[in-house]
Amino acid sequence: MTQLTTIALDVMGGDLGPRSTIAAAVQWLKLQPQHSCQLILVGDRALIQRHLNTFPDYSTQFDIVHAPDVIGMADKPTWALRAKPKASMRQAIELVASGQADACVSAGNTGALMVIGRYVLKTLPGIDRPAIVSRLPTQKGVSYLLDLGANVDCHSEHLYQFAVLAALLVKCLHSIDSPTVGLLNVGSEAIKGNEQVRLARQLIESNPKLNFTGYVEGNQLFQGHTSVVVCDGFVGNVALKTSEGLAEFILASLQEMAEPWLKSPLTRWLTKRFFHKLHQQIDPRIYNGACLLGLQGTVVKSHGHADSVGFSSAIEQAYQQAQLKLPQVLNEALEAWLEID
Amino acid sequence: MTQLTTIALDVMGGDLGPRSTIAAAVQWLKLQPQHSCQLILVGDRALIQRHLNTFPDYSTQFDIVHAPDVIGMADKPTWALRAKPKASMRQAIELVASGQADACVSAGNTGALMVIGRYVLKTLPGIDRPAIVSRLPTQKGVSYLLDLGANVDCHSEHLYQFAVLAALLVKCLHSIDSPTVGLLNVGSEAIKGNEQVRLARQLIESNPKLNFTGYVEGNQLFQGHTSVVVCDGFVGNVALKTSEGLAEFILASLQEMAEPWLKSPLTRWLTKRFFHKLHQQIDPRIYNGACLLGLQGTVVKSHGHADSVGFSSAIEQAYQQAQLKLPQVLNEALEAWLEID
């Protein structure tokens, strides 16, 4: 008998709120084999019911947990932790802590998700801070980049812990025995970078379990030479968002350039499949869903402005990690990898 | 009578060395009106002569300054400053300091260029460190991003000075009276970011001469909402290089996707102009050439792996800034802008 995997969704988070998250829940569920998974929608019950009514075939397929409060995008994380114990995001994380859900997903305030996740779930032994990790499409397949904004100030020790966590993540998700690890820097030579990065390099290099291949420069991110790329949260956040912005800019420029030329029905017909494929390949929505790595429970962060396609990718991420019981696997491996006494 | 503008070129720098730099010098000179400018080629005289022989029409059009030494890409900047007083890069900068050249261009070791530039030319009054600034193509035209790697650790005061310098640069180059300034951060809300960025915001906001519009996130870089975007050198370097890498990745993916489909002569013929235009528009080479802003002389840094098209764009940057006498203009304006007592 297949084990039931349960995912809690903070349906109130994100710029589009329940309109996007509930549509995503329905879309995602449609593609699953029956009775293999369960989604819990966490948020304002009346609002959820109203949105579910637009999907009559699915309106009874979800569990609902009522949460009377919402954490705003501009709320200060520590304040939200204290002042909003009944917020949908908090409730979704609590469901993971109590074992009622195997993972949770939120498109809400990243800082609050991090602070509440850490408070409710605690970090894994030997890990000071969770990091946000996401997949990047590259020339050689997928790489994992972290931290993407959970820690805007990092010590070298934190970067080292991120390297260990992400190497274990890739090992577990992709069955790669010794995933390659790179450290993001402003140059490839050993003298380059700031002190924090150079010290992190020493720590990473001194761990024989880590397959460190050296510094990675920004232009190499999409070449995919390493499975893991480590950086502090400020740098990673800017790198990721800059990439998203540039991809959008290039797609928009392409469309603008192609417009006069696509007026001809012949060229339009000839290029239809090409543009479709292009959109599919570059579409950042399929890479949506970043994991708060290092917690004793699976928390997946969706982009704030994710539509239902994007949020559905985030649910899929959470599902995969929940099925692999990622936090438990990491917990068992960390002792040896960090050589905790 | 037009005033003669003289540019010194470190022809030995960069991955391709004289092969690229001298071809670029010839390419660039071809497009200039006669007797309006002079290029000084700085490097190994014999090597320069050999390369010039491949351009017989131009072999006598350049001044040559012999430099017996070269600074390597892996040389430690402070060591290069002490140990290589006769290096081509150093000599090119010295030509600016002595007034024999109005600007210089190098594709060599960025750290060395920064350290030597600062030592030989000194910074402008009120400026602690020069920053590397470059143009970015955006949806609304060109933006200026700095610092791109000269300062991997910055205090808020440095970020503030970069904002002032870049605002003056845009004012001078584009005759914009009050250029908009943004600060790169991980979010747009006032509470976001690290201490250094939040303190820089206070300093920038307190200067009534600066038209500060708030934080800019990575995804907004290519939207071009502000004329200037300020960040520390680590973040800026990663953002710029990541963008370059992604643009290359997308172009390569496009070509790969289009390949089977371009086998048909009809589609090839129909799309030829489109792909040509695309390459032209996204081609990062035309944006090559970053300025070491804040020095008492114009120093332009070319990408290390720039080919002749790229290096030629860098020469053009140097030429434009030299014609405007940028360091002198900045020098005169800084007192009022920084309110130096």
Side-chain angles (χ1 to χ4, degrees), chain A residues 139 153 184-186 194 217-219 234-235 237-238 241-243 245-246 249 254 261 267 270-271 278 282, chain B residues 139 153 184-186 194 217-219 234-235 237-238 241-243 245-246 249-250 254 261 267 270-271 278 282:
Chain A
Q139 280 169 10
D153 285 302
L184 194 57
N185 200 355
V186 296
N194 53 27
E217 291 186 74
N219 55 314
F234 198 109
V235 173
N237 184 285
V238 168
K241 286 186 182 162
T242 299
S243 305
L246 180 61
F249 175 47
L254 271 175
W261 175 81
T267 49
L270 278 166
T271 53
L278 172 69
I282 305 185
Chain B
Q139 280 169 9
D153 285 303
L184 194 58
N185 200 355
V186 297
N194 53 26
E217 292 186 73
N219 55 314
F234 198 109
V235 172
N237 185 284
V238 168
K241 287 185 182 163
T242 299
S243 305
L246 180 61
F249 175 48
I250 293 178
L254 271 176
W261 175 81
T267 49
L270 278 167
T271 54
L278 172 68
I282 305 186

Side-chain angles (χ1 to χ4, degrees), chain A residues 136-137 222 238-257 278-285 287, chain B residues 137 139 218-223 239 242-251 253-254 278 282:
Chain A
L136 273 191
F222 293 94
V238 168
L240 185 75
K241 286 186 182 162
T242 299
S243 305
E244 289 167 357
L246 180 61
E248 274 170 32
F249 175 47
I250 293 178
L251 274 180
S253 303
L254 271 175
Q255 247 152 355
E256 196 190 302
M257 270 189 276
L278 172 69
H279 267 278
Q280 268 192 322
Q281 189 135 341
I282 305 185
D283 192 346
R285 297 180 301 177
Y287 292 95
Chain B
Q139 280 169 9
N219 55 314
Q220 297 170 317
L221 266 186
F222 293 94
Q223 293 172 1
T242 299
S243 305
E244 288 166 357
L246 180 61
E248 274 170 32
F249 175 48
I250 293 178
L251 274 180
S253 304
L254 271 176
L278 172 68
I282 305 186

Side-chain angles (χ1 to χ4, degrees), chain A residues 110 114 129-133 145-155 158-159 162 183-184 194 196-197 229-242, chain B residues 184-187 192-194 197 217-218 232 234-235 238:
Chain A
T110 309
M114 156 94 170
R129 303 167 169 193
I132 299 177
V133 61
L145 178 67
L146 80 169
D147 172 40
L148 298 174
N151 311 277
V152 290
D153 285 302
C154 286
H155 292 293
H158 301 133
L159 296 176
F162 299 164
L183 198 52
L184 194 57
N194 53 27
Q196 151 211 342
V197 167
V229 179
V230 176
C231 60
D232 82 39
F234 198 109
V235 173
N237 184 285
V238 168
L240 185 75
K241 286 186 182 162
T242 299
Chain B
L184 194 58
N185 200 355
V186 297
K192 287 291 173 77
N194 53 26
V197 167
E217 292 186 73
D232 82 39
F234 198 109
V235 172
V238 168

